[in-house]
């Protein structure tokens, strides 16, 4: 709902997510819809200290790629967004803490890993061990049927063809599992 309480909804991809999907663009593009607020820094009740978060390296301001924005018939514009590492942290916490865990969080973690946003050193992740353990438990409870309904139904047909097979879901789940337990996944 554009304009409601200062929010605008645009079909764009932030530069952190764009970097994460660039390796996938050899075969397919995975477009997404991102909602953002144009409120002043510090006005967001969920992130009241966003200026401090930018100084901590968790937020950055960047101009959305004109190539990506143009695909959605939008002009490129600068916007503040989470860095790749901050997105990984948020997705791990979401996988651990949601009342109803979502397979899309596991899929997003896989995409962020493909884009090189998972920290090389395990200790740099900065997520409490209890959250990682709970995320692992939730990941193990997810099924291919969940993946079909929560991920495959929302990606382009071309990408769906590449990601539709059950072994692909198993590869995604195994990769995210290894990342959460602190070991190196096989291949990218």
């Amino acid at each position: 709902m554009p304009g409601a309480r200062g929010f605008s909804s645009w079909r764009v991809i932030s530069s952190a997510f764009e970097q994460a999907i660039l390796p996938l663009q050899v075969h397919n593009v995975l477009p997404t819809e991102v909602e953002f607020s144009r409120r002043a820094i510090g006005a967001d009740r969920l992130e009241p200290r966003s200026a401090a978060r930018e100084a901590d390296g968790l937020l950055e301001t960047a101009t959305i790629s004109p190539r990506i924005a143009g695909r959605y018939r939008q002009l490129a514009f600068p916007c503040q967004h989470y860095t790749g590492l901050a997105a990984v942290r948020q997705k791990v916490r979401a996988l651990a803490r949601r009342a109803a865990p979502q397979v899309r969080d596991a899929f997003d973690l896989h995409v962020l890993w493909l884009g090189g946003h998972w920290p090389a050193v395990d200790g740099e992740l900065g997520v409490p061990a209890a959250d990682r353990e709970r995320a692992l438990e939730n990941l193990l409870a997810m099924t291919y049927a969940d993946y079909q309904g929560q991920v495959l139904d929302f990606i382009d047909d071309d990408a769906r063809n590449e990601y539709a097979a059950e072994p692909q879901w198993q590869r995604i789940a195994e990769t995210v599992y290894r990342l959460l337990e602190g070991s190196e996944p096989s291949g990218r």
Side-chain angles (χ1 to χ4, degrees):
M1 64 179 88
R5 296 188 330 217
F7 282 92
S8 298
S9 180
W10 296 75
R11 297 196 62 163
V12 296
I13 298 174
S14 74
S15 63
F17 193 77
E18 177 186 347
Q19 291 170 10
I21 67 168
L22 285 178
L24 300 176
Q25 290 180 338
V26 173
H27 303 300
N28 296 303
V29 175
L30 300 175
T32 186
E33 185 170 309
V34 177
E35 291 187 12
F36 67 95
S37 170
R38 290 187 181 216
R39 288 184 278 174
I41 291 176
D44 187 345
R45 24 183 201 121
L46 297 176
E47 299 294 340
R49 300 198 44 178
S50 57
R53 290 190 175 277
E54 189 159 6
D56 291 343
L58 298 178
L59 288 176
E60 62 187 19
T61 301
T63 300
I64 294 169
S65 164
R67 182 174 53 87
I68 300 295
R71 184 161 182 230
Y72 298 100
R73 296 186 181 135
Q74 302 294 325
L75 295 174
F77 55 90
C79 66
Q80 191 175 57
H81 62 89
Y82 287 105
T83 62
L85 176 59
V88 168
R89 288 175 179 166
Q90 187 276 331
K91 286 296 179 177
V92 170
R93 288 183 183 116
L95 190 56
R97 297 178 184 179
R98 284 186 199 269
Q102 302 291 310
V103 176
R104 69 174 186 251
D105 294 324
F107 180 79
D108 290 346
L109 283 167
H110 186 258
V111 170
L112 287 162
W113 173 72
L114 288 173
H117 297 289
W118 198 279
V121 177
D122 187 45
E124 293 177 3
L125 183 57
V127 175
D131 281 348
R132 291 173 73 160
E133 290 171 21
R134 182 72 177 136
L136 284 167
E137 292 171 14
N138 289 338
L139 179 65
L140 290 173
M142 294 175 176
T143 67
Y144 177 66
D146 297 330
Y147 174 70
Q148 287 176 305
Q150 295 176 24
V151 174
L152 294 180
D153 288 348
F154 296 94
I155 59 178
D156 283 349
D157 291 338
D158 291 339
R160 189 177 306 116
N161 291 336
E162 183 175 337
Y163 286 94
E166 188 168 359
Q168 182 64 23
W169 159 244
Q170 291 168 348
R171 202 171 11 256
I172 290 168
E174 180 183 333
T175 298
V176 173
Y177 186 91
R178 288 177 180 246
L179 290 165
L180 288 169
E181 71 175 0
S183 62
E184 183 64 29
S186 56
R188 275 198 204 253

